[in-house]
Amino acid sequence: MYSEKGILHNLYVVKKAYDILWDDLMDQFRLTRAEIDVLAFLSLHPEKNTAHDIVEYRMIAKSHVSKAVDKLLERGLLVREKDKSDRRCMHLIPTNSADYVISAIQTKQEEFEKKLSEGFTDDELLFFSKIISRFADNASAML
């Protein structure tokens, strides 16, 4: 039987590599990790564009998202738009000024995924995707 400790260790290694991935972009654009996460999320999920969505789906602390959004608004990388049907709801929209940063984020994500999947066949990656989805479902049930 495969040890859970081995699975957890492997997940930590992948997470650590993903965390390190952002160091140069954080320096280059003078952004925090939370600010990068907000821009990355909004670029991948334009339909889920509220602070609540980011907190819920990325599982980032509400205070971190709030602070990151404020900084991004201040720097002109985001704008807020009121929801037409619910005036209390504010949508977060990346500005044209954010395009270069978002492009760099997307490039980093693509490079990471490519390096991570080196040496695997499409069938192996599909199988792994199914397994990791079940892990995530089981973990979500514990939250």
Side-chain angles (χ1 to χ4, degrees):
M1 180 171 171
Y2 192 78
S3 162
E4 290 83 12
K5 184 177 179 185
I7 292 169
L8 290 178
H9 172 75
N10 292 335
L11 292 174
Y12 285 130
V13 170
V14 172
K15 183 180 181 328
K16 181 70 173 172
Y18 189 74
D19 290 344
I20 291 170
L21 173 76
W22 302 111
D23 289 346
D24 62 334
L25 284 185
M26 290 167 55
D27 290 340
Q28 179 183 354
F29 296 112
R30 298 193 195 298
L31 295 171
T32 65
R33 175 62 192 275
E35 292 163 356
I36 287 175
D37 285 344
V38 166
L39 289 173
F41 181 83
L42 292 172
S43 72
L44 287 172
H45 308 283
E47 74 287 354
K48 297 184 185 330
N49 60 7
T50 67
H52 175 77
D53 291 333
I54 298 166
V55 169
E56 182 178 337
Y57 289 95
R58 288 287 290 132
M59 296 185 198
I60 303 171
K62 187 176 180 178
S63 61
H64 291 168
V65 171
S66 177
K67 190 182 286 187
V69 166
D70 287 345
K71 289 284 190 181
L72 292 167
L73 288 165
E74 188 179 299
R75 292 184 62 182
L77 298 175
L78 284 182
V79 293
R80 283 188 178 126
E81 290 183 5
K82 287 183 182 176
D83 189 281
K84 290 176 177 64
S85 60
D86 183 354
R87 295 182 55 178
R88 297 168 299 167
C89 182
M90 300 297 279
H91 297 279
L92 303 170
I93 313 297
T95 64
N96 290 340
S97 299
D99 288 349
Y100 183 71
V101 178
I102 289 171
S103 177
I105 290 168
Q106 290 171 336
T107 298
K108 281 286 186 189
Q109 288 173 322
E110 290 166 8
E111 288 172 2
F112 181 78
E113 190 172 322
K114 185 176 179 180
K115 287 179 185 176
L116 200 61
S117 60
E118 275 180 9
F120 290 96
T121 66
D122 288 344
D123 287 341
E124 289 171 326
L125 291 171
L126 179 62
F127 181 71
F128 176 73
S129 178
K130 289 177 183 178
I131 296 293
I132 203 73
S133 290
R134 286 177 58 191
F135 278 148
D137 290 343
N138 291 343
S140 291
M142 292 185 258
L143 300 176

